[in-house]
Amino acid sequence: MTFSPSIASYIFIPTGSMLQTSLLQPEALVAAVVNNPGMFQQLILAPNGSLYLTLFWVMLLIFMAGIALLSAWAYKKGQLEKARTRQSELTLSKIIQYLPTGLVLVNPKGKICQVNNSAMRLFEIEDADIVIGQAPDEKLIFSRLKIVRKESLSSVGTRYIIQDAFGNEKIIYNERSPFYFQSKNYTIETFHDWSVFTRKSGSKLSAPQSGF
């Protein structure tokens, strides 16, 4: 029985022993037969063909088992990374929630995904769901208040004079900062209370209080 050059190049070594070559290079035998189905017939018709065919199936099973183990390892690693990411998100959420400065976290889609307790008190919002999922628009954020005056201090900073339903006014400074988490671009909007509430005098705060 004469083997084609392709199979001979895969399964023979100088001793002419297919068994030895297969044990030394099992992946070569598997690749050769899988890529050329006609080699099955050559293996069957060859002397000791049943031995070689059995060896092929054993090598194929080992090869497939290796792929299965690799896939299981990759899946387990992926699940572990997801768990770590989730834990990091929860930790970040807790840190944001209890900071004394008003914070609004905007996700990469440009929607509000978290508002901390300080910001809710500042905006006089009882339920964060009112703003979560919405774009961080000043009319939405200050929906319970009235914007008396607004001044842009920089490309990322704005100063507001706002007024509550009782005519009390205060100064709020808003600044936007990029924040990268898990290679995603978030935005943190901070809201600083630059004044204490004061009884309305005229239409806006006095010059020493407002700083304008």
Side-chain angles (χ1 to χ4, degrees):
M1 180 66 187
T2 303
F3 287 93
S4 65
S6 59
I7 190 170
S9 63
Y10 275 103
I11 63 178
F12 281 106
I13 58 175
T15 61
S17 170
M18 181 185 294
L19 180 60
Q20 290 179 1
T21 303
S22 300
L23 291 175
L24 291 173
Q25 295 179 311
E27 70 282 358
L29 176 61
V30 172
V33 177
V34 169
N35 292 329
N36 188 353
M39 291 185 181
F40 273 113
Q41 183 179 5
Q42 296 187 47
L43 288 173
I44 294 172
L45 297 178
N48 298 320
S50 60
L51 174 62
Y52 300 144
L53 189 59
T54 299
L55 177 63
F56 166 75
W57 286 117
V58 170
M59 294 299 104
L60 182 60
L61 288 173
I62 293 174
F63 179 72
M64 293 178 68
I67 293 178
L69 288 173
L70 183 61
S71 298
W73 174 81
Y75 175 78
K76 184 177 181 180
K77 183 179 180 181
Q79 292 298 106
L80 180 61
E81 288 299 323
K82 287 182 180 179
R84 288 176 175 173
T85 298
R86 181 57 181 163
Q87 183 60 48
S88 298
E89 290 174 346
L90 291 174
T91 301
L92 176 63
S93 178
K94 289 180 180 179
I95 293 172
I96 290 175
Q97 194 64 35
Y98 295 107
L99 285 174
T101 299
L103 291 177
V104 174
L105 183 63
V106 182
N107 65 25
K109 295 181 180 180
K111 304 296 183 180
I112 296 173
C113 59
Q114 185 176 356
V115 181
N116 73 352
N117 293 331
S118 297
M120 290 177 63
R121 287 193 296 268
L122 199 59
F123 307 150
E124 299 186 7
I125 296 175
E126 296 82 14
D127 189 354
D129 290 338
I130 295 174
V131 296
I132 287 180
Q134 305 295 322
D137 181 75
E138 63 184 28
K139 293 182 179 179
L140 173 70
I141 291 174
F142 296 125
S143 60
R144 302 294 179 87
L145 304 164
K146 177 183 178 181
I147 300 176
V148 176
R149 187 172 177 182
K150 170 184 174 182
E151 180 185 9
S152 294
L153 302 184
S154 67
S155 60
V156 296
T158 305
R159 180 164 51 187
Y160 297 91
I161 293 179
I162 60 173
Q163 183 183 106
D164 68 3
F166 301 101
N168 298 316
E169 295 181 347
K170 62 180 175 180
I171 301 172
I172 302 296
Y173 176 68
N174 167 227
E175 187 171 26
R176 298 173 297 281
S177 303
F179 173 75
Y180 293 90
F181 181 73
Q182 297 294 326
S183 300
K184 295 180 180 179
N185 186 13
Y186 289 77
T187 300
I188 290 182
E189 295 213 19
T190 56
F191 292 84
H192 305 274
D193 186 354
W194 279 7
S195 67
V196 295
F197 273 107
T198 181
R199 180 58 55 187
K200 179 181 177 183
S201 176
S203 63
K204 53 190 174 182
L205 294 175
S206 61
Q209 287 179 311
S210 68
F212 288 109

